[in-house]
Amino acid sequence: NAGVTQTPKFQVLKTGQSMTLQCAQDMNHNSMYWYRQDPGMGLRLIYYSASEGTTDKGEVPNGYNVSRLNKREFSLRLESAAPSQTSVYFCASSDDRNQPQHFGDGTRLSIL
Amino acid sequence: KNQVEQSPQSLIILEGKNCTLQCNYTVSPFSNLRWYKQDTGRGPVSLTIMTFSENTKSNGRYTATLDADTKQSSLHITASQLSDSASYICVVSAGSGTYKYIFGTGTRLKVLA
C-alpha cells in the first residue's frame, strides 16, 4: 500500500541550484497535484495535472515547472532555487477534482 | 476574497474527552468541504468530504457538520485518543468545474494522557 511516494524526503540547496522533486502514485488516479506548505499558511497549489498529458498553473506557479511523465508520475522542477522557495512540498493524487486527495509525506526543502 | 478560517488555532484536551473544531468559509461558488488530519511530519489524510446537500458525515469517531447557509462547518471528535494529536485542516473546493482548493491553516490538537 505505497499510495503516493515522494523523493527525496529532505534536500538542502544553494541559491541558484536546480533540482527536481519526484512523485509517483500507484492508485491509478487521473489527477495529480503539487502543493507547498509554509508556517502559518494553508497549503497552496503550485501546479496540477487533471489527467495524463495535461498540466495547469495553480495559485503560486512562479519559479516552478512540472512534467506529467505518465499516469503514475508527476515531477516538480525548480530551475534556479531561491530562499523564498524554502518550504515543505506535498504531492497528491485523486480520481478527479471532486474526490478526496491522497497526499505523500512531503519533501522538506531548504535553500540557503 | 476566498478564505477559510479555523478556530481555535490550538487545543489541548485530556484523553477520553470530546472536542469540536470550527471552520468558517467565504468561498464562492461552493463545491464541497473537506476535513483532513495531518500528523507531524506526514501528509494530510482525508477524513470527510461533504457537498452542498449534505449536512453531516461521520468517519468513526469523527463527525463533520456543514451549514451551507451560514458557511460554517465543525469537526467533532468523540472519546479522544492520544493518536488524535495532530493538525486538522478544513478545505473548501471552489466550484465544481475548477481545481481551486482553499486550505485553512489548521487547528493543532494535543491529547494528553
Side-chain angles (χ1 to χ4, degrees), chain A residues 31 33 35 37 40-45 48-51 59 90 94 96-106 108, chain B residues 31-32 34 36 38-46 48-49 89 93 95-106:
Chain A
S31 302
Y33 315 81
Y35 290 93
Q37 186 174 39
M41 301 183 71
L43 274 79
R44 292 180 292 170
L45 184 63
Y48 66 94
S49 172
S51 60
E59 182 184 357
F90 287 100
S94 67
D96 62 45
R97 57 179 168 256
N98 293 316
Q99 297 302 313
Q101 294 175 341
H102 298 254
F103 285 82
D105 282 337
R108 283 141 188 85
Chain B
S31 178
N32 57 65
R34 306 147 184 241
Y36 286 87
Q38 185 176 21
D39 292 319
T40 301
R42 305 295 301 272
V45 174
S46 177
T48 63
I49 179 170
I89 302 171
S93 176
S96 61
T98 70
Y99 284 80
K100 194 168 188 177
Y101 307 97
I102 316 300
F103 283 73
T105 55

Side-chain angles (χ1 to χ4, degrees), chain A residues 68-97:
Chain A
R68 183 75 182 267
L69 305 170
N70 47 56
K71 192 170 187 179
R72 289 187 64 247
E73 298 172 286
F74 189 39
S75 63
L76 178 72
R77 182 161 179 83
L78 287 70
E79 290 290 354
S80 179
S84 60
Q85 295 177 305
T86 293
S87 188
V88 182
Y89 291 85
F90 287 100
C91 177
S93 70
S94 67
D95 266 337
D96 62 45
R97 57 179 168 256

